[in-house]
Amino acid sequence: MVKMNRLMAAMAVAGLAMPFAAHATDGMFSSGYGMTANGMGGAATAMAEDAFGGANNPASMAFVGNRLDLGASLFSPRRSASVYQGTPSAYSESSDANYFIIPEFGYNHMVTKDVALGVSMYGNGGMNTDFAPMANGYNFFGGKGNLGVNLIQMIVAPTASWKINDNNSIGIAPLLAYQQFTAQGLSGFTGFSSNPTHMTNTGTDSATGVGVRVGYMGKITPTLTFGAQYASKITMSKMSDYSGLFANQGELDMPENYSVGLAWKTTKDLTLALDYQEINYSGVAAIGDSSSVPLPFGATNGPGFGWQDIGVWKLGAEYKYNDNWTLRAGWNHCDNPVTASNVQLNVLAPGVIEDHITLGGSYTTASGNEWTFAYIHAFQNSLSGAGTAYPGGVPTPYGTDTIRMYQDTVGIEYTWKL
């Protein structure tokens, strides 16, 4: 009963905090899920060390034992945008939305020595911006007042995993998703919308959806482990309040992705992990369609943010320093999903980060429980493209637009061994 009360309390805390989630480093995906993965550049497809298999690889849950992981991160993305028409800058502004709390929760229970049931809760998002207007009251897009969007995504992933034998496992995790979205300051674009009254400043709308993640994990040798996972596109219900913004009358699905990974225990104390991940943004019209599609916003196959599919490399190292301390470090590199021809619209979501370094560690207490911490720095990157003005509602080339971003994240997690 004590363990069940602890589990319910932890889920309640995570559920109440999750609406503040807004995390993005590899495009709109986090570079890693769980503090162990965050300390290792996100490399987790072939690792079995925590209860975040629903986010990383559900097959790993068969090897992690009984545990409850509860943590939170402070995420600080710094975004700015400029338009240049000769020298000096015609307009330059930084987003005022700079700090977000990212909670996380994982639970795993070994039903038998070969079967595990659990749940992972994690957040995505990151299209969170708030740009103040110029002195004349107009913003970067020619609308009145502040310009920005807020996207929050929560995924609850129940997991089931089975050991086929001592060295191999498979797993499955239904992905139950909830998202909220708000946009403001886009009135300068309403003349290009299929539903102008449902494009901007309509408050917060929400959507739900379902997908699935499947995974495999196998020990190739006593020191080398291979992992693979595939997550389908999460098909979301439409957000009617923004049917004049997102393609297909308010449809914003979550893209499919897959990854493969290796974990090599080079010595009894040192493990190296390497993942490669593909994220298919082009499969979601509102994200992948070009912003210059000759159709109004909100139309079937209408304009989107123009994000391309990306590949992500994740490299991590874990060193068991002594019986109490385990140290971690990592590197994460992803392609830039934003292309130069789509820079202007991506002022709203400048997901241009490419490189991250990470540090982390765990401390095992006398009771056998653990404190785990992680730090991520995403190096500043920028992208420029031709700008457009809309005098009298007519698209007219105007200067050069530039978007920039860098990020810092620090997090801590506590683990109960049950």
Side-chain angles (χ1 to χ4, degrees):
M1 181 62 68
V2 172
K3 290 181 180 178
M4 182 58 66
N5 288 342
R6 182 182 295 161
L7 171 61
M8 296 304 292
M11 290 186 70
V13 170
L16 288 172
M18 192 63 75
F20 296 99
H23 206 188
T25 51
D26 295 336
M28 63 188 295
F29 281 42
S30 174
S31 59
Y33 298 96
M35 292 303 156
T36 298
N38 280 333
M40 298 181 65
T45 308
M47 300 287 288
E49 297 201 2
D50 58 28
F52 291 97
N56 297 317
N57 182 354
S60 67
M61 302 286 260
F63 292 104
V64 303
N66 299 315
R67 61 187 294 136
L68 189 159
D69 300 308
L70 181 63
S73 298
L74 179 63
F75 174 55
S76 179
R78 301 304 176 106
R79 286 72 47 88
S80 62
S82 306
V83 58
Y84 287 85
Q85 178 72 3
T87 302
S89 170
Y91 174 66
S92 181
E93 188 64 46
S94 296
S95 172
D96 292 331
N98 294 325
Y99 295 99
F100 304 94
I101 299 295
I102 315 296
E104 60 179 27
F105 169 83
Y107 172 74
N108 193 59
H109 175 66
M110 301 301 299
V111 179
T112 71
K113 67 181 183 65
D114 296 323
V115 178
L117 297 177
V119 62
S120 306
M121 294 176 63
Y122 58 99
N124 278 330
M127 289 196 288
N128 305 75
T129 47
D130 185 14
F131 292 98
M134 294 178 284
N136 62 6
Y138 287 89
N139 60 46
F140 194 86
F141 283 2
K144 283 282 187 106
N146 284 37
L147 171 70
V149 296
N150 183 34
L151 174 66
I152 295 168
Q153 295 178 332
M154 180 184 76
I155 298 96
V156 178
T159 59
S161 56
W162 304 266
K163 289 182 184 176
I164 302 170
N165 53 42
D166 289 344
N167 295 321
N168 297 273
S169 67
I170 56 175
I172 185 170
L175 304 176
L176 312 176
Y178 172 80
Q179 68 182 8
Q180 291 183 341
F181 179 79
T182 306
Q184 60 177 342
L186 302 179
S187 58
F189 278 5
T190 54
F192 304 94
S193 172
S194 61
N195 191 348
T197 61
H198 290 76
M199 184 182 194
T200 186
N201 296 83
T202 60
T204 298
D205 203 353
S206 62
T208 57
V210 178
V212 66
R213 189 186 309 275
V214 295
Y216 164 78
M217 182 171 285
K219 296 180 180 179
I220 301 172
T221 72
T223 60
L224 186 64
T225 300
F226 171 78
Q229 68 84 27
Y230 169 80
S232 70
K233 179 170 71 173
I234 300 179
T235 302
M236 305 295 294
S237 58
K238 294 184 179 183
M239 291 185 284
S240 59
D241 288 347
Y242 291 97
S243 59
L245 174 60
F246 291 127
N248 302 328
Q249 299 79 50
E251 185 180 87
L252 181 63
D253 297 334
M254 300 185 193
E256 71 170 355
N257 65 94
Y258 61 86
S259 64
V260 294
L262 291 171
W264 178 31
K265 195 172 181 63
T266 61
T267 70
K268 68 181 182 66
D269 296 322
L270 178 64
T271 299
L272 302 178
L274 176 66
D275 281 11
Y276 177 75
Q277 181 181 29
E278 282 275 350
I279 305 173
N280 294 329
Y281 291 116
S282 65
V284 178
I287 302 173
D289 285 2
S290 172
S291 59
S292 59
V293 167
L295 292 169
F297 284 94
T300 300
N301 297 320
F305 285 86
W307 284 21
Q308 60 188 347
D309 298 342
I310 65 171
V312 186
W313 289 97
K314 305 177 182 185
L315 176 64
E318 179 180 83
Y319 178 67
K320 186 174 177 57
Y321 179 72
N322 57 32
D323 290 341
N324 296 107
W325 284 100
T326 299
L327 307 177
R328 302 181 183 93
W331 169 77
N332 176 297
H333 173 80
C334 69
D335 300 327
N336 185 348
V338 183
T339 58
S341 60
N342 292 282
V343 164
Q344 184 171 32
L345 188 61
N346 278 280
V347 168
L348 297 172
V352 295
I353 292 294
E354 293 182 352
D355 288 292
H356 320 65
I357 57 168
T358 69
L359 296 171
S362 294
Y363 176 77
T364 302
T365 67
S367 66
N369 296 332
E370 293 177 349
W371 286 100
T372 300
F373 61 91
Y375 168 72
I376 305 168
H377 177 70
F379 292 95
Q380 179 171 292
N381 194 36
S382 63
L383 185 67
S384 298
T388 304
Y390 299 89
V394 179
T396 304
Y398 183 87
T400 300
D401 295 336
T402 300
I403 53 177
R404 307 174 187 84
M405 178 160 62
Y406 71 91
Q407 303 167 348
D408 287 288
T409 306
V410 60
I412 190 166
E413 173 186 291
Y414 189 75
T415 299
W416 291 268
K417 301 292 184 66
L418 305 175

